[in-house]
Amino acid sequence: MAAEVVSGPVGSGVDVNPTGNPTQIAMAYLQDETDANVTNLNLGELDITTDEFILDEVDNHIQANLEDDLVKEALKTGVDLRQYSKQVETELQKIEQASIKDYIKESQNIALLHNQITACDSILERMEGMLSGFQSDLSSISSEIQTLQQQSVSMNVRLKNRQAVRCHLSQLVDELVVPGAMISTILDSPVTEQEFLEQLHELNSKINFAKELSFRETLACSDIQDIVDRLKVKAVTKIREFILQKIYSFRKPMTNYQIPQNTLLKYRFFYQFLLANERTVAKEIRDEYVDTMSKIYYSYFKSYSSRLLKVQYEEVADKDDLMGVEDTAKKGFFSKPSLKSRNTIFTLGQRGAILSPAELEGPILVPHTAQRGDSRYPYETLFRSQHYALLDNGCREFLFLSDFFMVIGNSALDLFNSIMGKTLSMFLKSMSTYVSDCYDSIAIFLCIHIILRFRAITAKRNIPALDKYWEAVLELLWPRFELILEMNIQSIRNTDPQKLGVLDTRPHYITRRYAEFSSAIVSINQTFPNERTNALLGQLQAEVENFVLKMAAEFPSRRDQLIFLINNYDMMLSVLMERAADDSKEVESFQQLLLARTQEFIEEILSPPFGGMIAFVKEAEALVEKGQLDRLKNEEARITQLVRGFSSTWKQSVESMSQDVMRSFTNFKNGTSIIQGALTQLIQYYHGFHKILNQPTFRSLAVRSELINLHHLMVEVKKHKPNF
């Protein structure tokens, strides 16, 4: 039956009838399976009838089969292979029959499965057709999407280009359009209104924009050019009238010109508009302002300076008022100490207060008020007031010029000088006239330091406008100060002690003048030290020291000479220490001189009452150092006289010496110090006397018992120290 059902083996390319009996179909499948199994049991694909047979391959195949476990088992047991082959074949047939029965039993299910598979194939075929259609449709849709995307990108680029063009065109149109509000405001509104200032800014922008378009040859520019030009002319006219009116208001008497200046600063854009659009008018306004303010400042400061001079001290120093001039040389300045409100030449007094911050930047003097109060002032006070007014007005003017006229650097300085130059020249001329006939060196020196401080103030405010003027003033004052100082030095150098009147051990008036003057200059010079000044002061000090020595030489006795020197050194040192620093060169120099002369004077006053003992002590100490004290062992009578003489007279001698010292020195504190020094020196000498008599050479002297106990002597001496 299988031969009838199956027309060819499965996989041989012969189709199976899909519509046959289910049993036939199953048998056909079974036959195919059986043939396949039999073929597997044969020697594979080995074909010994072909010409391609190769013995080596047969050997390999046999060797491979011998490796099979069943074959190995059969060979070991000695089984007959033929019999074994038949047994295997029989078993396979039985299995085949069983398999056929199973297939026949399941034939219905297999046929059903076959039909289902066939139906699935048809369904899948239809689905494949549908999916192919979908794929085709999707391909066309993708191409359409790409086309739309390209169109979208192109439209986006065109949109951006149109927006950019629209932005530029709208800005161009906005800049070109002249609103009616602008026209009415420029034509009718006062220039002081905020709306006018705002519209002026807009007009300035349109003018600048029109200029820019004209360079690009934009045709639309010609449509508005006429309107913009007429508005510009109207605005320039109104601004010119307003600013000139403010400038002319400066000329009214008693006008505080700072008020209209502040008003102009509120409308500083007006000048900026003129400078950008009508330079001729801007130059006219600038020239008018310069001319007006130059005359105002010149008139104001000329009047103020002349009025200040009316409240200056009437009596001023002249060429004869020098440090080395004797009091009897002329009847005048130094001969009238009782003159009320007298401005002294060599004494600083309260004049130095002018350099304090409160005085330096204080209110300026009002001349007519001072005249009503009958007040008088030294020159440096008038100088300070005059130049502080100049500093204040100059700084304010420079800031106004820089802000309103928009100038910086050298342009600002040139504009400032064109306004203030005439005034500054007038100041320098009047100052030159005064300085050429001035002999008040302290006034000149105070003026120098006023200028130095004012220069520091302008530098702190970052105002360079007055720098050259400060330098010019200093160039006038420094040489004059140095000349006056050199004249004073020369006057002391040329002083003849014999023409100075009666000799007196008290401090000399020339040294007092020097002390007052030197302390004044040193105290002022501490803030802004000047080496040239220090050098001149050193020359002056040297001449004064020489003068003091020449005056001392006029006294016949060394004692009076020392008293004169100590009184003068002490007075100069006291005055210097009131104002100068303790470590200044002048103070240190006079301290050394005073100490040296004081020590010499102490020796001088101890010599009359105690000279014998002092000489013995010095002589004996010298011999002790040489080891030759035995040379004095025969001086018992001398020693006895010294011991008994000291014991009997030392109290009276100390008392007399103290009274004499206090009478000799004008400074009681200095006299007390000298007495204390003398008593201390006396105790030291007596202590040395004790030590010498304790030497082996003199221990056997009986007079040693009469020596005064050193401690007792110190107690007694303290009773004689004066207290002041």
Side-chain angles (χ1 to χ4, degrees):
M1 181 182 291
E4 295 177 354
V5 174
V6 181
S7 59
V10 176
S12 64
V14 180
D15 293 335
V16 179
N17 184 4
T19 60
N21 191 296
T23 305
Q24 293 176 346
I25 295 170
M27 290 301 293
Y29 277 106
L30 290 173
Q31 185 63 41
D32 291 339
E33 292 293 330
T34 303
D35 292 340
N37 292 332
V38 171
T39 302
N40 290 333
L41 288 173
N42 292 331
L43 296 174
E45 298 294 330
L46 183 62
D47 187 1
I48 62 175
T49 64
T50 63
D51 293 335
E52 289 96 7
F53 176 74
I54 301 174
L55 291 177
D56 292 337
E57 293 183 0
V58 173
D59 290 340
N60 293 335
H61 193 73
I62 292 173
Q63 187 66 32
N65 286 329
L66 288 176
E67 295 296 327
D68 187 83
D69 293 337
L70 293 176
V71 175
K72 288 180 178 181
E73 184 65 26
L75 291 176
K76 287 181 180 180
T77 56
V79 176
D80 186 1
L81 293 178
R82 295 175 182 174
Q83 184 65 30
Y84 184 73
S85 175
K86 290 180 179 180
Q87 182 182 350
V88 170
E89 186 176 356
T90 302
E91 290 176 359
L92 288 174
Q93 288 178 352
K94 291 180 181 179
I95 293 170
E96 180 183 359
Q97 292 299 323
S99 297
I100 291 171
K101 290 179 181 180
D102 290 337
Y103 278 115
I104 292 172
K105 183 178 177 181
E106 297 293 333
S107 61
Q108 294 292 332
N109 293 332
I110 293 172
L112 180 61
L113 178 62
H114 177 75
N115 290 332
Q116 289 176 350
I117 291 172
T118 303
C120 285
D121 285 342
S122 64
I123 292 171
L124 290 173
E125 185 178 1
R126 288 196 304 273
M127 289 182 67
E128 182 180 4
M130 291 174 62
L131 291 174
S132 298
F134 287 158
Q135 184 177 8
S136 176
D137 292 341
L138 287 174
S139 298
S140 63
I141 289 173
S142 176
S143 63
E144 290 177 2
I145 289 174
Q146 290 179 353
T147 302
L148 290 174
Q149 184 178 9
Q150 293 174 355
Q151 292 176 354
S152 175
V153 171
S154 176
M155 291 175 66
N156 189 31
V157 171
R158 290 198 298 271
L159 176 61
K160 289 183 177 179
N161 291 337
R162 289 179 181 179
Q163 287 177 341
V165 171
R166 179 184 177 184
C167 178
H168 289 294
L169 286 176
S170 63
Q171 181 179 0
L172 176 65
V173 172
D174 290 340
E175 293 290 346
L176 287 175
V177 171
V178 181
M182 176 186 291
I183 298 173
S184 60
T185 301
I186 296 296
L187 293 178
D188 302 328
S189 297
V191 297
T192 55
E193 291 188 1
Q194 182 64 26
E195 186 179 0
F196 180 87
L197 186 60
E198 294 173 357
Q199 293 299 333
L200 189 65
H201 278 279
E202 291 294 327
L203 176 61
N204 189 56
S205 299
K206 293 187 181 299
I207 293 172
N208 293 333
F209 190 70
K211 289 179 182 178
E212 183 181 350
L213 292 181
S214 65
F215 289 121
R216 300 179 185 176
E217 299 181 356
T218 305
L219 296 178
C221 178
S222 59
D223 295 339
I224 64 163
Q225 191 66 49
D226 183 57
I227 297 176
V228 170
D229 287 343
R230 284 189 286 174
L231 285 176
K232 181 180 73 172
V233 171
K234 183 63 177 177
V236 168
T237 303
K238 295 177 72 173
I239 291 171
R240 175 182 176 277
E241 291 177 357
F242 171 75
I243 296 179
L244 288 178
Q245 181 184 2
K246 291 297 179 185
I247 293 175
Y248 293 151
S249 68
F250 294 169
R251 302 176 179 178
K252 296 178 181 179
M254 306 301 292
T255 298
N256 184 357
Y257 59 86
Q258 295 174 13
I259 295 176
Q261 272 187 339
N262 293 335
T263 303
L264 287 176
L265 285 178
K266 289 173 59 179
Y267 302 103
R268 61 175 65 86
F269 181 72
F270 288 173
Y271 184 79
Q272 182 180 348
F273 181 83
L274 294 177
L275 196 62
N277 300 289
E278 198 62 53
R279 286 187 172 272
T280 305
V281 177
K283 185 178 184 303
E284 177 192 2
I285 288 176
R286 176 169 164 167
D287 292 344
E288 192 65 34
Y289 178 84
V290 168
D291 182 65
T292 299
M293 293 307 296
S294 177
K295 292 178 180 178
I296 289 174
Y297 281 125
Y298 180 78
S299 175
Y300 166 72
F301 280 108
K302 184 177 181 181
S303 173
Y304 183 66
S305 299
S306 62
R307 291 180 181 179
L308 279 179
L309 292 177
K310 294 179 180 179
V311 296
Q312 185 183 2
Y313 281 129
E314 295 178 358
E315 293 192 23
V316 294
D318 58 27
K319 62 181 179 179
D320 294 323
D321 293 317
L322 299 174
M323 196 176 297
V325 175
E326 58 272 16
D327 277 345
T328 57
K330 75 180 188 70
K331 185 178 180 181
F333 199 87
F334 292 105
S335 61
K336 297 181 180 179
S338 62
L339 185 63
K340 188 177 181 180
S341 302
R342 187 59 184 270
N343 177 25
T344 60
I345 296 177
F346 302 108
T347 303
L348 183 63
Q350 297 300 317
R351 298 169 71 182
I354 197 72
L355 298 178
S356 65
E359 289 283 341
L360 192 68
E361 300 183 54
I364 63 174
L365 290 177
V366 181
H368 62 272
T369 303
Q371 283 180 309
R372 283 202 302 266
D374 197 25
S375 299
R376 291 291 182 269
Y377 301 94
Y379 177 75
E380 65 271 9
T381 301
L382 311 181
F383 182 89
R384 196 281 317 174
S385 184
Q386 181 186 45
H387 282 81
Y388 188 69
L390 174 65
L391 180 148
D392 193 41
N393 285 275
C395 290
R396 187 182 295 107
E397 186 64 30
F398 182 80
L399 292 175
F400 173 82
L401 295 176
S402 301
D403 198 359
F404 185 78
F405 291 104
M406 297 178 297
V407 288
I408 58 174
N410 290 331
S411 299
L413 294 176
D414 292 341
L415 183 58
F416 178 84
N417 289 329
S418 63
I419 293 175
M420 301 295 294
K422 190 176 179 181
T423 301
L424 298 180
S425 297
M426 181 265 292
F427 270 21
L428 290 174
K429 184 177 180 180
S430 62
M431 198 180 312
S432 177
T433 303
Y434 172 81
V435 167
S436 63
D437 196 39
C438 177
Y439 294 89
D440 188 351
S441 52
I442 289 181
I444 297 292
F445 200 59
L446 286 172
C447 291
I448 289 173
H449 280 263
I450 288 171
I451 293 298
L452 292 175
R453 284 161 173 78
F454 281 169
R455 185 172 64 178
I457 291 173
T458 54
K460 185 178 180 180
R461 295 181 184 180
N462 197 23
I463 305 294
L466 293 170
D467 288 353
K468 290 185 178 180
Y469 174 75
W470 301 139
E471 294 299 327
V473 174
L474 291 175
E475 288 176 2
L476 278 175
L477 296 177
W478 273 119
R480 187 62 186 179
F481 172 73
E482 293 174 359
L483 176 63
I484 299 173
L485 205 53
E486 289 171 353
M487 292 173 65
N488 280 289
I489 293 172
Q490 189 63 38
S491 70
I492 294 177
R493 185 181 297 130
N494 297 336
T495 300
D496 185 357
Q498 295 181 354
K499 296 181 179 180
L500 297 180
V502 180
L503 291 176
D504 192 340
T505 57
R506 290 175 297 181
H508 200 275
Y509 58 82
I510 290 181
T511 57
R512 181 171 292 278
R513 292 176 190 170
Y514 162 77
E516 295 286 353
F517 177 79
S518 181
S519 65
I521 300 301
V522 169
S523 63
I524 296 171
N525 199 45
Q526 287 174 352
T527 307
F528 293 91
N530 180 267
E531 292 302 322
R532 175 62 179 160
T533 302
N534 291 334
L536 289 172
L537 285 178
Q539 294 180 26
L540 180 62
Q541 179 182 342
E543 293 300 332
V544 169
E545 290 177 5
N546 291 335
F547 165 76
V548 173
L549 292 176
K550 286 194 296 183
M551 286 297 299
E554 295 295 315
F555 291 92
S557 67
R558 183 57 181 169
R559 180 178 176 280
D560 289 342
Q561 291 177 0
L562 291 173
I563 293 173
F564 177 81
L565 291 173
I566 292 172
N567 276 330
N568 281 274
Y569 290 153
D570 177 65
M571 181 273 297
M572 289 188 285
L573 185 61
S574 299
V575 174
L576 282 170
M577 292 183 68
E578 288 180 3
R579 297 187 180 275
D582 291 344
D583 58 350
S584 66
K585 291 187 295 184
E586 290 80 6
V587 170
E588 291 179 355
S589 175
F590 283 116
Q591 282 178 337
Q592 294 174 1
L593 290 172
L594 178 62
L595 180 61
R597 299 289 80 80
T598 300
Q599 289 297 325
E600 185 180 353
F601 179 75
I602 288 174
E603 295 292 336
E604 186 72 22
I605 61 175
L606 288 176
S607 180
F610 309 109
M613 180 189 69
I614 294 173
F616 177 80
V617 170
K618 290 180 178 180
E619 181 182 358
E621 287 178 347
L623 292 174
V624 168
E625 291 180 2
K626 298 177 182 179
Q628 302 175 359
L629 188 60
D630 291 342
R631 293 173 58 182
L632 296 177
K633 62 182 180 180
N634 296 324
E635 298 285 347
E636 181 178 353
R638 179 184 175 187
I639 294 173
T640 302
Q641 181 182 0
L642 290 175
V643 171
R644 292 174 179 172
F646 182 86
S647 300
S648 61
T649 62
W650 74 268
K651 289 186 178 181
Q652 295 85 350
S653 299
V654 167
E655 183 67 27
S656 175
M657 182 177 63
S658 298
Q659 294 177 1
D660 185 39
V661 168
M662 296 310 297
R663 286 194 302 267
S664 300
F665 296 100
T666 54
N667 184 351
F668 290 126
K669 183 178 179 181
N670 184 43
T672 301
S673 175
I674 291 173
I675 292 173
Q676 291 177 351
L679 295 178
T680 301
Q681 188 68 29
L682 175 61
I683 291 174
Q684 289 178 354
Y685 279 131
Y686 199 69
H687 178 60
F689 191 54
H690 266 261
K691 289 174 63 178
I692 292 170
L693 295 186
N694 284 332
Q695 294 293 323
T697 305
F698 305 111
R699 284 180 183 172
S700 60
L701 294 179
V703 77
R704 289 181 65 249
S705 61
E706 299 180 24
L707 285 171
I708 300 174
N709 181 271
L710 194 61
H711 178 71
H712 175 70
L713 178 64
M714 292 174 63
V715 173
E716 290 295 326
V717 163
K718 286 182 180 179
K719 297 179 182 179
H720 293 275
K721 288 185 178 180
N723 296 316
F724 292 97

